[in-house]
Amino acid sequence: MGREGPFGVLGLWLGSALDRRFPRVGGGLAFAGLAAGLGAALHAPVAGALLATEILYPSLLLEARALTPALIGALSGFAVYGALFGYTPLLPFRVEVGLEAIPLGLLTGLLAAALTTLWTEGGRFLEGRLRPLAFPLRHALLGLALALALLLLPEALGGGLGWVAIATTPLLPPSSLFLLLLAKLLLLLLAQGVRAYGAPYTPALVLGGLLGALLADLSGPLALPPDALALAGGAAALAGVARAPFAALALSAEWGGYAALPLVLPAVLLAYALTPAQEESPREARATPEAPPSETPPQSEPPLPAPEADGSSGTPPG
């Protein structure tokens, strides 16, 4: 699973601690920390801020007052991270396509939607079958699968973005590319089935990127550069899995340039429209309030201590 999971959680924890330390700031530091972690993990601060916002506000509802701290946190976090580890995109593709790429973009979005639906629905089905097993047994099964992959196909392990870059070159034949895509998909299905730790966003980029590179080898006279299709496939898969089309478009622009939009835009919109949304867990449902947080003013004063609160018997409950 993707490293943006632990990156985002660490940023969220740090922001939550700062929110508790400085309550008069008005909140928002936890959200900024989450966006900082996502932006640093993806090497794309604007996409990280949009991704954090779209995770919290689904159904294309972007809350302006939430996006502002997300952008500040993501840009600040990536500025520090990039100064230490570099600002190069994870996939430094420079893509330039024209309007003639729209049909292939629609095809890429359709295939990406089928792939992400197979992944999410298959993982949900497998999770239901493995739920009766004890926690150690589930993760022992995942460990056994990873050990077999290490012996038989070690290329399927790891982040996978490096193999996406190799897939856009003639070094990897279509048969090997398809085998790598299938092995990666099976491992991700099992990882989701046992509820492994991490986030699915980098794996979605990898699966979509490998699919796009494979499509470049099979598209015949409509073929576009493999790096363009790999970028479009990864963005489309991210939009379908994360339900975050704006973040996927921003990520493709930050990695490949805005000249990729004629290909990426139809792929992202079609994949987002056709991939079924996953049901929210009870924890996620509680984290998303019925009213936008911007309509609730931040608490300017701390609540009364318990003795004083008990002393006012006339105060109604709540």
Side-chain angles (χ1 to χ4, degrees):
M1 305 299 283
R3 66 171 187 165
E4 67 277 358
F7 270 54
V9 168
L10 288 175
L12 184 64
W13 286 349
L14 178 60
S16 300
L18 292 176
D19 266 336
R20 291 192 296 269
R21 178 64 179 84
F22 305 103
R24 295 188 180 276
V25 174
L29 294 179
F31 189 55
L34 171 64
L38 294 177
L42 296 174
H43 283 216
V46 177
L50 284 171
L51 182 58
T53 306
E54 288 181 284
I55 290 173
L56 183 61
Y57 300 99
S59 303
L60 298 181
L61 176 62
L62 287 178
E63 178 63 39
R65 295 193 182 183
L67 186 58
T68 300
L71 282 171
I72 294 175
L75 290 170
S76 303
F78 185 62
V80 176
Y81 180 87
L84 298 174
F85 301 103
Y87 296 98
T88 305
L90 294 180
L91 287 177
F93 294 153
R94 305 310 301 176
V95 178
E96 292 187 7
V97 295
L99 296 179
E100 69 278 359
I102 292 179
L104 204 51
L106 293 173
L107 178 60
T108 303
L110 180 63
L111 295 177
L115 182 64
T116 53
T117 300
L118 177 62
W119 175 21
T120 54
E121 296 299 323
R124 185 180 303 154
F125 174 81
L126 194 58
E127 180 181 349
R129 293 299 180 270
L130 296 178
R131 191 185 301 272
L133 295 179
F135 179 87
L137 291 179
R138 293 202 308 266
H139 287 267
L141 180 62
L142 177 61
L144 178 61
L146 294 177
L148 291 176
L150 183 61
L151 292 174
L152 302 177
L153 192 65
E155 294 83 0
L157 301 178
L161 288 175
W163 285 106
V164 174
I166 295 176
T168 60
T169 67
L171 297 176
L172 204 61
S175 58
S176 300
L177 180 56
F178 176 76
L179 182 61
L180 178 60
L181 174 62
L182 180 60
K184 195 76 176 177
L185 176 61
L186 292 177
L187 286 177
L188 289 173
L189 281 171
L190 183 58
Q192 183 174 344
V194 303
R195 303 183 68 181
Y197 296 103
Y201 308 133
T202 298
L205 291 169
V206 173
L207 286 183
L210 294 176
L211 177 66
L214 183 62
L215 182 61
D217 292 329
L218 305 176
S219 53
L222 297 177
L224 290 175
D227 52 355
L229 287 171
L231 183 65
L238 176 64
V241 170
R243 312 302 299 161
F246 297 118
L249 290 173
L251 181 67
S252 67
E254 289 185 277
W255 281 6
Y258 289 98
L261 286 179
L263 174 65
V264 175
L265 185 59
V268 165
L269 294 181
L270 192 60
Y272 174 77
L274 295 181
T275 303
Q278 299 188 32
E279 297 179 359
E280 289 184 330
S281 64
R283 182 177 181 180
E284 292 172 342
R286 289 195 302 268
T288 306
E290 296 180 359
S294 62
E295 298 178 4
T296 304
Q299 182 177 344
S300 58
E301 296 182 0
L304 292 175
E308 296 181 22
D310 294 337
S312 55
S313 58
T315 302

